Amino acid sequence: MNYDADLPGHVERVLTRFLRIAGDQIEATEPSFASGVETLTEFVLRGGKRLRPTFAWWAWRGAGGDEADADGVLQAVASLELVQACALIHDDLIDSSDSRRGRPTVHVAFADLHTAQRWSGLPASFGLAVAVVIGDLALAWADDMFGAASLPAAALDRARPVWRAMRTEVLAGQFLDVHMQVTGDTSAEAALRVSRLKTAAYTVERPLHLGAALAGAPGEQVRALREFGRDLGIAFQLRDDLLGVFGDPSVTGKPAGDDLREGKRTLLIALALRQAGAAQADLITTALGNATLSEKEVDEVRATLREVGAVSAVEDRIGELTGTALSALRQANLIEPAESALADLATRATQRTH
Amino acid sequence: MNYDADLPGHVERVLTRFLRIAGDQIEATEPSFASGVETLTEFVLRGGKRLRPTFAWWAWRGAGGDEADADGVLQAVASLELVQACALIHDDLIDSSDSRRGRPTVHVAFADLHTAQRWSGLPASFGLAVAVVIGDLALAWADDMFGAASLPAAALDRARPVWRAMRTEVLAGQFLDVHMQVTGDTSAEAALRVSRLKTAAYTVERPLHLGAALAGAPGEQVRALREFGRDLGIAFQLRDDLLGVFGDPSVTGKPAGDDLREGKRTLLIALALRQAGAAQADLITTALGNATLSEKEVDEVRATLREVGAVSAVEDRIGELTGTALSALRQANLIEPAESALADLATRATQRTH
């Protein structure tokens, strides 16, 4: 079976099936867990670009993976969405984010339920508890779904070290990110390290690596694919940084300048501070993390980021990284249509408006 | 190699080795994660009875597991301590517990660090973030440690469904527990369901099941062992309920009557409420969850629990369950010294004073 044409649809289909079977199993023991399973299922199926499974899938196809393994590979790569569900649910809790994709985050939804039901204790404590447990469930089930993929033992054995590295790296990235926020480390070096772990490695490089490992790709091809992933991942993150400050709210779905209000220590900000004069740096750092920043103040920061050349520097860097990424992709010598699909993804990911 | 004589010591040895190797790997990519790895390592090695690995080990030995697999089995059963680390770190956060084994809990320790370093933002938010991430790391690494145990593929394949069920069950138990606390469900039925999931299944039955599965025990032996585990687990939890209210603080390390102040909905409380008159029930429910309960008030609740016959009912039930557990253990026909070791564990676990 070939799933190229509607990969996100097929990823959602196998996620739905896995979550139903795993849910039925535990509900046979403990029926009241149904609402927990339902919360996770709704969260996972609520949307998202299915970017990680898509990168993994094309790397597997492009490295000439055995068509007979397609169903197992689809399940293995779809499980990345459960790791991502844990990361998002726990990140939202850590960042105290109220909404995601236009809906309340898990901890907020359950705090609201607590209030509506007039339960005892604090709504926020209940929301926290549920978000911690449901995130843990997503992480545990990600492992179960990956490990239960119907694949030759050799293929799973090749992929497992990559899977493990990916999981640890995203947690290291989160740990580093949390430290950066509290220590106020605005250096470009720290921002780049977080980007490398949370986006380049976790979102692009490791999924590609995982797909290549499942296919049994030779070392040289794996290296070229990972290089493609590293450069593309950083470019992807830089585009995200720009959208977080300059993005159109009607397209991104987030308030304009939201990254500024949240005080995100991005590479864009780090570069701007490095190039800014004292007054400009002051304007930026004062705005950063000010939750009540007005539209006008956001506009002032935008103007300053342009003035000091940070915006054009980041745009240039995105262009360069996309170029080196695409050249690494060609070196990987993938079978078509994988090379074209990945080149297309790379272009869309770095030129996107949301 | 035979590890019977100092099982906890050997469990700690393999945990130390695994954590060092896994730590070295991620620190090669991200040196600043060292403090995260160190936090988890310290937490895991800080103590504990190593109860889950011990049950699993003796079930494997008693079911005649192949001596050649001893090292792999030791690693597989030791990984249960990492699942437990996640459960404890996240539970402490959910319950807002300040200390564990006489030391600050993870979220409190990092909130204190934040305060001492005068970092920006709220200390409690930083503590929460670190506890979430370090708990996640423990859960991810539990899976890595279990899956990387050097064992025949057939042995791991037999054990994996048990491992998966155990992880999901403890999360279902936690979810149910959190719901019980807020809905104020004081029924014996609800308390029993939480005990079954969080203690009977997770602490005793599933570890025994895991060891038996690793050994390739026949169905009948597995059934008998699980029956032993279920009854012993409930008896174990009932002893815990009694100690939480009547335990000697100098032995348990927790303030006297702590379970009352925390408002724990235990089976002891559920049975007492079922048997209490209106005034007695009122005294108990008013005390439950009152964080400022005095020594004298704790004494009144204790007297009431005795008066209504809940204490003797629970003691009787512990005796009965220990009896049926030991009879199931004999039916399991384990090879010695495993049968004696498990019988001894059962007696100590149900008669312990801390």
Side-chain angles (χ1 to χ4, degrees):
Chain A
M1 181 71 195
N2 190 315
Y3 301 121
D4 293 356
D6 178 24
L7 192 57
H10 289 291
V11 164
E12 281 161 29
R13 178 176 56 77
V14 295
L15 281 165
T16 306
R17 192 185 54 200
F18 174 84
L19 290 166
R20 200 185 51 235
I21 294 171
D24 286 349
Q25 262 172 19
I26 183 66
E27 286 161 35
T29 306
E30 183 42 61
S32 73
F33 199 39
S35 71
V37 173
E38 197 187 316
T39 301
L40 177 59
T41 305
E42 264 186 22
F43 184 89
V44 170
L45 298 179
R46 187 181 296 179
K49 303 190 193 85
R50 314 303 177 197
L51 214 51
R52 293 162 191 83
T54 302
F55 280 122
W57 174 261
W58 285 116
W60 174 76
R61 291 272 284 120
D66 186 345
E67 273 287 323
D69 294 342
D71 282 308
V73 168
L74 184 67
Q75 166 150 347
V77 306
S79 70
L80 292 166
E81 290 291 305
L82 286 173
V83 178
Q84 176 65 356
C86 170
L88 294 178
I89 293 169
H90 283 177
D91 268 21
D92 285 342
L93 175 67
I94 289 172
D95 298 340
S96 294
S97 303
D98 292 337
S99 70
R100 169 166 303 279
R101 295 188 197 127
R103 293 186 45 181
T105 49
V106 172
H107 65 281
V108 168
F110 279 84
D112 290 349
L113 177 70
H114 186 284
T115 304
Q117 301 280 344
R118 298 164 181 268
W119 281 332
S120 68
L122 298 172
S125 303
F126 180 69
L128 177 154
V130 173
V132 167
V133 174
I134 298 300
D136 287 352
L137 184 69
L139 189 57
W141 283 9
D143 280 321
D144 294 353
M145 187 175 183
F146 177 77
S150 170
L151 284 169
L156 268 181
D157 285 349
R158 284 191 305 262
R160 226 175 245 119
V162 185
W163 170 266
R164 288 173 188 157
M166 179 266 307
R167 268 209 291 42
T168 301
E169 282 160 3
V170 67
L171 292 169
Q174 181 63 12
F175 187 81
L176 185 59
D177 198 5
V178 163
H179 270 87
M180 256 179 75
Q181 305 292 332
V182 299
T183 56
D185 183 348
T186 53
S187 68
E189 199 252 335
L192 193 62
R193 274 157 61 210
V194 170
S195 294
R196 277 201 202 290
L197 290 165
K198 287 186 78 168
T199 307
Y202 168 60
T203 306
V204 193
E205 182 187 349
R206 289 299 189 185
L208 289 165
H209 190 182
L210 191 76
L214 285 167
E220 210 176 325
Q221 194 170 40
V222 171
R223 268 190 298 279
L225 262 172
R226 293 184 65 180
E227 199 183 316
F228 164 65
R230 266 193 300 273
D231 287 352
L232 175 58
I234 298 291
F236 183 90
Q237 179 63 51
L238 290 172
R239 174 60 60 205
D240 228 38
D241 291 359
L242 286 173
L243 288 171
V245 178
F246 295 93
D248 178 350
S250 70
V251 182
T252 62
K254 299 204 293 188
D258 217 30
D259 276 10
L260 297 174
R261 292 197 188 83
E262 284 177 16
K264 270 204 194 155
R265 309 292 177 167
T266 64
L267 199 52
L268 169 68
I269 297 295
L271 289 175
L273 289 173
R274 190 193 278 173
Q275 291 169 215
Q280 292 166 321
D282 197 48
L283 187 140
I284 295 169
T285 50
T286 309
L288 218 57
N290 173 1
T292 61
L293 212 61
S294 70
E295 283 284 330
K296 190 170 156 289
E297 287 165 321
V298 170
D299 278 338
E300 282 171 12
V301 179
R302 284 177 177 152
T304 309
L305 293 174
R306 286 191 200 281
E307 261 168 45
V308 301
V311 175
S312 59
V314 167
E315 285 286 5
D316 287 353
R317 193 86 191 94
I318 292 174
E320 274 169 40
L321 285 163
T322 308
T324 52
L326 290 172
S327 136
L329 176 62
R330 279 187 296 274
Q331 301 247 323
N333 264 318
L334 299 187
I335 297 168
E336 285 292 9
E339 184 176 320
S340 301
L342 286 172
D344 185 48
L345 263 174
T347 312
R348 278 190 290 142
T350 52
Q351 293 175 5
R352 72 208 148 91
T353 53
H354 64 285
Chain B
M1 181 72 195
N2 191 316
Y3 301 121
D4 293 356
D6 177 23
L7 193 56
H10 289 291
V11 164
E12 281 161 28
R13 178 177 56 77
V14 295
L15 280 166
T16 307
R17 192 186 52 198
F18 174 84
L19 290 166
R20 199 184 54 235
I21 294 170
D24 285 350
Q25 261 172 20
I26 183 64
E27 286 161 35
T29 306
E30 183 44 61
S32 72
F33 200 39
S35 71
V37 173
E38 197 187 317
T39 301
L40 177 59
T41 304
E42 265 186 20
F43 184 90
V44 170
L45 298 179
R46 186 182 294 179
K49 305 189 192 87
R50 314 302 177 197
L51 215 50
R52 294 162 190 82
T54 302
F55 280 121
W57 174 262
W58 285 116
W60 174 76
R61 290 273 284 120
D66 186 345
E67 273 288 323
D69 295 342
D71 282 309
V73 167
L74 184 68
Q75 166 149 346
V77 306
S79 71
L80 292 167
E81 290 290 307
L82 286 173
V83 178
Q84 176 65 355
C86 169
L88 295 177
I89 293 169
H90 283 176
D91 268 20
D92 285 342
L93 175 67
I94 288 171
D95 299 340
S96 294
S97 304
D98 291 339
S99 71
R100 169 165 302 278
R101 295 186 197 126
R103 292 185 46 182
T105 48
V106 172
H107 64 281
V108 167
F110 278 83
D112 289 350
L113 177 69
H114 186 284
T115 304
Q117 301 280 344
R118 300 165 181 266
W119 281 332
S120 69
L122 298 171
S125 304
F126 180 69
L128 177 154
V130 172
V132 167
V133 173
I134 299 301
D136 288 351
L137 185 69
L139 189 58
W141 282 8
D143 210 69
D144 294 353
M145 188 176 184
F146 176 78
S150 171
L151 284 168
L156 269 181
D157 285 349
R158 283 192 306 263
R160 225 173 247 122
V162 185
W163 170 266
R164 288 175 187 156
M166 179 267 309
R167 267 208 294 42
T168 300
E169 281 160 3
V170 68
L171 291 169
Q174 180 63 12
F175 187 80
L176 184 60
D177 199 6
V178 164
H179 269 87
M180 256 179 75
Q181 306 293 333
V182 298
T183 57
D185 183 348
T186 53
S187 69
E189 198 251 335
L192 193 61
R193 273 157 61 209
V194 170
S195 294
R196 277 201 201 291
L197 289 165
K198 287 185 80 168
T199 307
Y202 168 61
T203 305
V204 194
E205 181 188 347
R206 290 298 189 184
L208 289 165
H209 190 182
L210 191 77
L214 285 167
E220 212 174 324
Q221 194 170 39
V222 172
R223 267 190 299 279
L225 263 172
R226 293 184 63 180
E227 200 183 317
F228 164 66
R230 265 193 300 272
D231 287 353
L232 175 58
I234 298 290
F236 182 90
Q237 178 63 50
L238 290 172
R239 176 59 60 207
D240 227 40
D241 290 359
L242 287 173
L243 289 171
V245 177
F246 295 92
D248 178 349
S250 70
V251 182
T252 62
K254 298 203 297 186
D258 217 30
D259 276 9
L260 298 175
R261 291 195 189 84
E262 285 178 16
K264 271 202 194 160
R265 310 290 178 167
T266 65
L267 199 52
L268 170 68
I269 297 295
L271 288 175
L273 289 174
R274 192 194 276 172
Q275 291 168 216
Q280 293 165 320
D282 197 48
L283 187 140
I284 295 169
T285 49
T286 308
L288 218 57
N290 174 359
T292 62
L293 213 62
S294 70
E295 284 285 332
K296 189 169 157 291
E297 288 166 318
V298 169
D299 278 338
E300 282 170 13
V301 178
R302 285 178 177 151
T304 308
L305 293 175
R306 287 192 201 280
E307 261 168 45
V308 301
V311 175
S312 58
V314 166
E315 286 287 4
D316 288 353
R317 194 85 192 92
I318 292 174
E320 274 168 38
L321 285 164
T322 308
T324 52
L326 290 173
S327 137
L329 176 62
R330 280 188 295 275
Q331 300 249 323
N333 265 317
L334 299 187
I335 298 167
E336 285 290 11
E339 185 176 320
S340 302
L342 286 172
D344 185 49
L345 263 174
T347 312
R348 278 190 288 139
T350 53
Q351 293 174 4
R352 72 208 149 90
T353 53
H354 64 284

